[in-house]
Amino acid sequence: MTKETLTEIQIARALQDKMLSRSAVTETRSVVLALMKADEIEIAVEWLREAYADDPTLKIEDHGVYYRIDCAEEFTFDLDEIQDMVGRPYSVYDFLVNVSTTVGRAYVNGNTFTITTALIGWESEVPR
């Protein structure tokens, strides 16, 4: 083996050790949602900010072309209320077009979108 190959192997092993260490993976009760920006999403994010104003765990970060929303346990977008603010028909399915990724369990119930840590069907009722 060459010196360069040995160094690459050492780096790979160090990375593997770090990834598999106890400190690399941590349990969390937080949920995350990434939303691609659009005019309606701007309104939805403002609605969420107001609806969860008393929740100190809600964090909304502007990343240029998308929003990253973090919160402990769960949060819900009520698209009936947001639709009134948008001023035209805007359903949960229109909203879902801009959902980029989630960390947590996402579900639709009527015209609401929720992301939660709950084990739906075990820890809570399945929405009907």
Side-chain angles (χ1 to χ4, degrees), residues 76-114:
T76 299
F77 284 91
D78 183 332
L79 278 300
D80 287 330
E81 290 185 19
I82 294 168
Q83 174 178 262
D84 291 342
M85 295 169 67
V86 169
R88 62 174 174 72
Y90 185 68
S91 73
V92 70
Y93 301 104
D94 297 321
F95 175 83
L96 287 172
V97 169
N98 294 90
V99 172
S100 178
T101 192
T102 64
V103 176
R105 292 164 191 91
Y107 68 91
V108 170
N109 184 17
N111 207 26
T112 65
F113 173 81
T114 299

Side-chain angles (χ1 to χ4, degrees), residues 45-92:
V45 166
E46 284 309 309
W47 177 90
L48 186 73
R49 193 174 269 126
E50 289 176 22
Y52 287 82
D54 295 334
D55 186 341
T57 68
L58 181 73
K59 185 169 78 171
I60 301 171
E61 296 177 347
D62 186 335
H63 287 270
V65 297
Y66 71 95
Y67 285 106
R68 176 186 167 136
I69 304 168
D70 294 73
C71 193
E73 301 293 326
E74 74 176 35
F75 58 89
T76 299
F77 284 91
D78 183 332
L79 278 300
D80 287 330
E81 290 185 19
I82 294 168
Q83 174 178 262
D84 291 342
M85 295 169 67
V86 169
R88 62 174 174 72
Y90 185 68
S91 73
V92 70

Side-chain angles (χ1 to χ4, degrees), residues 15-57:
L15 179 59
Q16 182 181 25
D17 289 344
K18 183 176 181 180
M19 289 174 61
L20 298 176
S21 73
R22 290 209 176 266
S23 65
V25 178
T26 58
E27 182 179 342
T28 180
R29 296 289 298 176
S30 294
V31 293
V32 180
L33 175 66
L35 290 172
M36 296 183 305
K37 284 188 175 179
D39 292 340
E40 298 84 1
I41 294 301
E42 297 288 342
I43 293 168
V45 166
E46 284 309 309
W47 177 90
L48 186 73
R49 193 174 269 126
E50 289 176 22
Y52 287 82
D54 295 334
D55 186 341
T57 68

